[in-house]
Amino acid sequence: MAAPATRRIVGAEVPIPSSDKLRWIDLTVPSSFAPASPADPFVCVPPRAASGCHIIPSGDSQYYLSWRIHEEQPNLLEVIELSASKEFPSSGLRLVFQEALCPFAFLCEREGRRQGELVYLLYVLTVSGVALLCHLRSPFSYLSGSVLHQDDVVEFSLQTHAQSAKVTAVSAKPGCIVIGRQDGSVCSYSLGKLAPNTPGFSNELRDDAGIGRLWTLMSRIKTVGPVQDIVATAINERDLLFVLHLDGHLRIWDNHTKLLNYNVHSNDIEGHPSRLWVGEADDDQELISLAILHQNTVVQDCDHVAVYGFSFSAGEKFPFSPEPSISTIPLLEGKLVDLKIGMDKLWILKEFGTMLYEILQYDIETKKICSYVLQEDAISEQLFQNSDNALDDLVWTADSMFSSLKEDAFNFISSMFLRRLLQPGVNHCSALRETLLEHKKFLSDSEFQSLTANGLRKEILSIMEQEGSSQTASATAYHWKKFCARYLHNWCWNNRPYGLLLDTNNEVFGLIRKGSFSLFRCLEGVEMLIYGSSDELRNIDDLEMNLLDDTSDFELLNEVLRCMGHIHHLLGRSSTAIYYESLISSVISSDEIALQIVKILETGFTQSSSSVTSLLGTDAYIERRQAAHKHQRKFSVEMLLSFHKLQSRSTSWSVVFDVIEKFMKCLNTNINVQDYESKRVCNVNSMLLVQATSQVARTMFECAFDLFLFLNYLVGVGGQVSLLQSDVARIKLKLFPMIQDILGQWIVLHFVGISPTLPPTIEDFSYQLSSLQLGKVDELSLHRKLGCSDFTLACLLDFPKCPEGDVMSPCFPNPAEVINLVRTFSSMILCGRNFEGVQTFLGSTINLSAILIRNGQYEAAQNLLGILETYLNNEKVSHAGLDADTACSAYLHLNGFCLLMLAHDEANTVLRESKVHDAIRCFFRAASRHEAPKVLQKFSLETGFQVSGECRSISLWRLHYYEWAMQIFEQHSMSEGACQFALAALEQVDDIFDLDNGTEAESLPETAAMIKGRLWANVFKYSLDLKHFRDAYCAIISNPDDDSKYICLRRFIIVLCELGETKVLCNGEIPFTSLVEKVEQELFWKAERSDLSSRPNIYKVLYSFEAYRNNWRKAAAYMYRYSVRLNRESNAGGSRQLPHVLQERLDALSAAINALQLVDPSFAWLDSVCEADDQISPSKRPRNLLMENLAFGTDSELSRLQFCVDIEILEKEYTLTKALYRLSTVKSTFNFSESQSIESLMDILIDEKLYDLAFTIVLKFWKESGMKRELERVFSAIAQQCCPKRSDKSGRQLLLLPSSEDDAWDGNTKSIAVTQQLQGSCHWETLELFMEKYYDLHPRLPVIVAETLLYTDPEIELPLWLVQMFKTNKAGSRISWGMSGKEADPAALFRLYINYGRHAEATNLLLEYLESFASSRPADILHRKKMSAALFPYTAVERLWCQLGEIQRAGHSVDQCDRLKKLLHGALMSHLQQVVVDSEDVLSSVGGGQGMQAQSS
């Protein structure tokens, strides 16, 4: 983007930050006229983008009213109100008109305004010929989208006038708008002063007022061409009009009087005149300058600007000289955009290509033309978009340059580009958003505006990662250059220059762009050498560089600058940018980068073809590589020639080095100790000064780095140019340290000038204070701007005051003032209030870092301290000794504090830990410095470290320092660092009290034990926070203060319980030794005062604690205590016990039982609850006998509980609890109260079919007859469940096999019956199961069950297994010798049959046993014939016979009864006969006589 012709550069553009972030207030201007057809507009002024600036004085300051009309939106007019002494406005006014405007506007202040009211008058002209006057009130407090009030708008249509010629030019002055027409006429209208119908509203300028109108018109048409341009100005308080006609006539009018008629064609200047500019009149010299643009319609790019100097007399007639002075300025190529005329200079804005512009400055007296550096060129250079040489292209050099970084290359290169892309002056909101949209990053207006600088970085980095730029360093550089190329294109489009800004009174010169505003500054002396040529050295006296002695020195410096130019031409600015970033980021050593760059200077680059070829292609790679080798060879030859010239022009290299040293003084910041008046402020001027300072700093850093590379290259080729060892030593020991110091100064200035501030954290108290609108207005305004991308670190500093006493000037500074302010500001930064009075780069950087820390900019301060660290670690540092030690102490202290603050806000755990460790290391290193006690006290405001009084020894001072470090780490919840410093402080306590023999101890307000107790308590706390439990315990036992020790122990237990780390107490990891009882006591106190639902359960912890130590009795006692509390608290208020509570009680009782079983039986008992309360519990509780009442039914057992609880009691309680738990799980509404008996509980269990629990309770609580009684009751209940009473016939024998007559049930009844049958079969199985299980305990159970069944349902058929239990004995064998048995025998069953009317079953049973008796085996006959061998229930048989007879006589079942009686009679007769026979056999077996006697009897 270089200018088409090489001219001397005298200045540079300085953008005003924040000018791209305006929020527009849309205000619609109403109109009563219909818009005209755009095909035939009444106003023939060519459409173009236009702008202007009108200066309105306001007291001591002044307002700059700037306006813009965009070519793409000609119906919009933007108005911005600027004030140099205020912040850049956050909003501007955008007026929306009904139709397109002529590229013209005039703004002025309304005359006669009331005090305190500021109203602006705006004159515009639409393309349809409607002139509008708008009254705009300041400040612009309109609502966006509203309509301007009709009373504030005055309209007048020029087409309603008698003349119908189209308008070709327009101008305005306060109270009047002037137009020029196509017929050459000029008319003025008093718009806003007079009504349109009022006489004098419109006036026409005529050549001859005494001739008639017709003649006048005819004469004018023949002699005057169309009006090209009109300028209204005032000279000696007289309003004049300068009118330029197409035929070359230039006329000057005073009201109706023509003062001059001059033909510009008489000067033989080619081209027709098109535009006119008039400068300010010089009243002293009575001279006014005019500039006219002559456009050549024949030859393209041959336009000229003619400058005319007219002299005048300030008399009544105000005559102008007819022969002005004339000078012409060829524009060569391109077209003129705007022009401004000053007192002795003329500035031209010219476009010479698509989005390529140039600003020329023409000196009217010397006729010299020079130019300014525009922002397009500066941004292009910063983003590496103008590199023609491969060695300047990061794509080619990145891989070799960052070979040691590998994974970090992407972050390093990205940081370098982002730092340049987002700095004020380069970062433009519209351009950046368009670039993001091109890369498919869609952000709404609110989302984009809410992004901070860090947010923008993340969005851009995500684009680079999606592009795949993180693969290699060359790929990263390639994609970044592509991104920056698109950004630069968008920046140029959104910042096209519209016009120039000129304040002739203050000689302020600026530029109005489409999306921003900027001013211009002069160049620093060294900048002129850099931007200029060797010819500038001949005017070096004018550059304020009076350092060289004679002509030979000028020649030597010229040759050195030429060598630096060769380096710059070969490497460009990419190498400088990499070196700059290495100093800031500290990712890679700056020395390593410097070696790589010097290697490229010496041998070129060694680039592997694969990575670049894949990006650019094979042909491009080969072509660029050949060009790179060609440039490298050319550079080597040119450098050797220059070295030989230096040798030939000097007697030795030392002379050259003397010249270089003098030149270094020019590169230095010229630090002086002058005490400037300063104040912190934030306004347009301060932001402008920061921007200008960063520009100068960047240029000076680049120049110093070129000189640094030149010296390095000279050392490398020293053998070829006869460089002596003494010369090499001078370079390394003297020149290198000097230039390192210069580089450090300028990089610090540039860094604070471009780095945005970071927003304060939410925890920041000052931020909360500002959000509450408390404090000074200026401080609040500054605090609210923290985090804005254009509010840089330098804005936090103090700015120099102007001689009038105010901060800077209430007006914009002129170019010369800007550079003077830059020098003053730079000197203030680098020497103002310098710490320790060290006027070096060390002191200034430390002072600046302290200021940043004071304002919460810890990351930026750490970056500055990183630069300082590089400087301190450099072995070639020129300043050593006391200053270096002092600076190192301050650096370590401040750097540690910054790292601590950054670690506090770091989200990444790994980075956070790394920063914490670095901060710890810095603080320890700072404390080890000898100068630390004197130095670090000076940063109490920044870090908070302050020691009251004087410390006699270093140990005492370190004790205070370590305690401060411990506290600040604790404040930020960084226990690791706090613990280390607490331990370090303990060491210092030992040194003070043991080694100093008590001399220093006298000054301490505490004893050694008190200090150690406090510090050990802190060590305990920090170790506990870190979950280093062993270290925490060691701190407890190391604490000499018993009170503090026990407090820590209690806290130790509480925290372990809260963290769920109670296993530390129970697994033997910590040997509590003498503290076991204290630990146990603390745990029990906590258990008694804790909620039982809390986790972990402290009673269980106590159980584990005692179990590990084999104290099983105590373990059982704690679990039993837990069970009692569960029972008491769950029954509080009569509420139902929940299942999970009962389960907990079960577990507790089970654990207590198991633990007590491990104790010697003679000691296997526990103290009663009441005694436990008295002995262990810290607060007595009332007795709880709920479980005792449930568990014991006798007074003796209850009295025994008052003294001890053994395993049997625990088991009973466990059984009851288990029953309650099972009931709570199956019956949600169950509620068992204390007043209920165990029998009631068993009834509930039986109802809920929990038979196993019922039997368990029976076996556990009853013995012998009581047990049998309860068993009978339970089995009776179970039997009743097997045969429920049926009221209908369909239910008869439902639980057995159904009869065939029941097959005709309906479907619904049948389905219900099947379900009940399944349930019934389950009851039978249960009954059989428990009968088999408990039959041995109570043999009469079958009788009870059978009787219950028959009683419940007399018609029921007894199950076979139950009948078999009557027919078999205990061994399971069948009873065959009669029907007798113990309790459940066939005789009992026979009697039950009879009792319940089951005559058939009784008869069959009797017949069965009678037949069995009669049909005995031969082997059993002898046994049958013994005395009382078999027993039959003859009484019962008799009852059966009688009942059958009664039924028969009653007439019921006569046949059946008759049949049964016959069967019974026959069986009995047979049985009796068998008995008689057996009896006779028995008698016969005795003696004969006796037998006969017995037979006869």
Side-chain angles (χ1 to χ4, degrees), residues 476-504:
T476 302
Y478 174 77
H479 289 292
W480 268 111
K481 286 195 67 175
K482 279 183 60 180
F483 182 87
C484 291
R486 290 306 309 158
Y487 175 79
L488 179 62
H489 177 271
N490 294 327
W491 190 98
C492 293
W493 175 255
N494 287 280
N495 286 276
R496 288 169 294 162
Y498 277 8
L500 298 174
L501 179 154
L502 182 63
D503 180 4
T504 54

Side-chain angles (χ1 to χ4, degrees), residues 1277-1284 1286 1295 1320 1323-1325 1327 1349 1356:
I1278 298 176
Q1280 289 177 359
Q1281 294 290 335
C1282 294
C1283 54
R1286 302 297 178 184
L1295 301 178
H1323 291 314
W1324 286 112
E1325 293 174 359
L1327 181 60
L1349 291 173
I1356 193 171

Side-chain angles (χ1 to χ4, degrees), residues 577-812:
I578 295 173
Y579 185 76
Y580 177 98
E581 190 65 28
S582 67
L583 289 172
I584 297 294
S585 63
S586 301
V587 175
I588 187 173
S589 170
S590 57
D591 292 337
E592 183 179 346
I593 291 295
L595 289 175
Q596 290 288 346
I597 295 173
V598 173
K599 182 179 179 182
I600 292 176
L601 287 176
E602 294 174 350
T603 62
F605 67 94
T606 55
Q607 172 68 48
S608 60
S609 61
S610 58
S611 58
V612 179
T613 303
S614 61
L615 295 171
L616 304 178
T618 306
D619 296 338
Y621 170 78
I622 295 174
E623 181 180 353
R624 292 291 295 273
R625 187 174 183 87
Q626 291 175 350
H629 287 304
K630 180 179 179 181
H631 283 95
Q632 177 66 31
R633 291 193 299 269
K634 181 181 179 182
F635 166 78
S636 300
V637 172
E638 288 176 342
M639 290 297 288
L640 284 176
L641 292 176
S642 296
F643 287 151
H644 287 303
K645 287 182 181 179
L646 287 172
Q647 283 183 288
S648 63
R649 293 175 181 176
S650 61
T651 56
S652 63
W653 278 107
S654 61
V655 177
V656 178
F657 297 151
D658 291 338
V659 173
I660 291 176
E661 283 191 35
K662 295 176 181 178
F663 178 60
M664 285 183 183
K665 295 180 180 179
C666 302
L667 291 175
N668 208 312
T669 53
N670 299 319
I671 297 178
N672 55 68
V673 294
Q674 181 180 352
D675 189 12
Y676 296 99
E677 291 289 332
S678 61
K679 180 183 177 183
R680 181 183 291 191
V681 71
C682 181
N683 53 35
V684 176
N685 272 349
S686 66
M687 304 284 278
L688 190 74
L689 175 56
V690 169
Q691 187 66 24
T693 303
S694 66
Q695 288 181 350
V696 174
R698 180 176 68 89
T699 306
M700 301 298 279
F701 177 82
E702 291 172 350
C703 180
F705 185 66
D706 287 341
L707 181 59
F708 175 68
L709 293 179
F710 164 74
L711 294 175
N712 273 285
Y713 185 81
L714 179 60
V715 172
V717 298
Q720 304 177 38
V721 294
S722 305
L723 197 66
L724 302 177
Q725 288 298 321
S726 59
D727 298 327
V728 175
R730 181 178 180 183
I731 292 175
K732 292 183 177 181
L733 300 179
K734 186 176 182 180
L735 296 184
F736 277 162
M738 289 177 63
I739 203 164
Q740 289 280 6
D741 191 78
I742 293 170
L743 287 170
Q745 293 176 23
W746 288 118
I747 193 176
V748 166
L749 285 173
H750 184 259
F751 176 77
V752 299
I754 68 167
S755 299
T757 55
L758 294 178
T761 57
I762 301 300
E763 294 85 358
D764 192 353
F765 176 74
S766 58
Y767 175 78
Q768 297 177 359
L769 192 68
S770 67
S771 65
L772 296 174
Q773 302 296 320
L774 303 175
K776 296 181 180 179
V777 176
D778 293 342
E779 294 295 331
L780 292 175
S781 177
L782 287 175
H783 210 73
R784 282 194 296 267
K785 292 181 73 66
L786 290 176
C788 299
S789 59
D790 50 14
F791 190 76
T792 61
L793 301 172
C795 298
L796 299 171
L797 308 177
D798 293 342
F799 291 89
K801 289 186 176 181
C802 64
E804 289 78 9
D806 197 0
V807 182
M808 302 180 67
S809 171
C811 304
F812 285 141

Side-chain angles (χ1 to χ4, degrees), residues 830-855:
L830 293 177
C831 76
R833 299 180 180 89
N834 220 325
F835 114 100
E836 282 295 308
V838 180
Q839 305 300 330
T840 62
F841 165 64
L842 295 173
S844 60
T845 306
I846 291 172
N847 175 64
L848 197 56
S849 301
I851 295 174
L852 296 181
I853 292 174
R854 202 179 309 146
N855 289 277

Side-chain angles (χ1 to χ4, degrees), residues 811-823:
C811 304
F812 285 141
N814 60 42
E817 289 175 346
V818 173
I819 201 64
N820 290 332
L821 287 170
V822 168
R823 294 169 183 152

Side-chain angles (χ1 to χ4, degrees), residues 182 322 598 1122 1231 1252 1360:
Q182 204 166 25
V598 173
Y1122 177 43
N1231 189 8
D1252 53 347
L1360 181 61

Side-chain angles (χ1 to χ4, degrees), residues 1135-1146:
S1135 60
R1136 182 176 62 88
Q1137 296 191 25
L1138 298 176
H1140 70 274
V1141 176
L1142 294 170
Q1143 181 63 55
E1144 280 291 305
R1145 287 185 58 201
L1146 282 175

